[in-house]
Amino acid sequence: MGDGVSNIIDPTGGVLLGGLAIMGIPYVRWIRWVFPYFLLIVSVGVIFLIIA
């Protein structure tokens, strides 16, 4: 879970930064858009880990 979730916001990820650069999207704008989804995914993962 940690690797997959962290790849969404990891600023050292070449694919993420390359894709954002090609599309012309600043990293800060990307973080503001994806952060709520990131929190949701982490919350669901923590709930499943507690249940397990």
Side-chain angles (χ1 to χ4, degrees):
M1 182 188 135
D3 181 49
V5 172
S6 67
N7 286 340
I8 296 173
I9 62 167
D10 186 18
T12 59
V15 174
L16 174 63
L17 291 180
L20 291 175
I22 290 170
M23 294 181 283
I25 300 172
Y27 181 69
V28 175
R29 184 174 170 197
W30 171 256
I31 288 294
R32 275 188 264 149
W33 186 81
V34 81
F35 197 69
Y37 299 110
F38 174 76
L39 291 178
L40 177 68
I41 293 170
V42 169
S43 300
V44 169
V46 167
I47 290 170
F48 282 138
L49 287 173
I50 290 172
I51 291 171

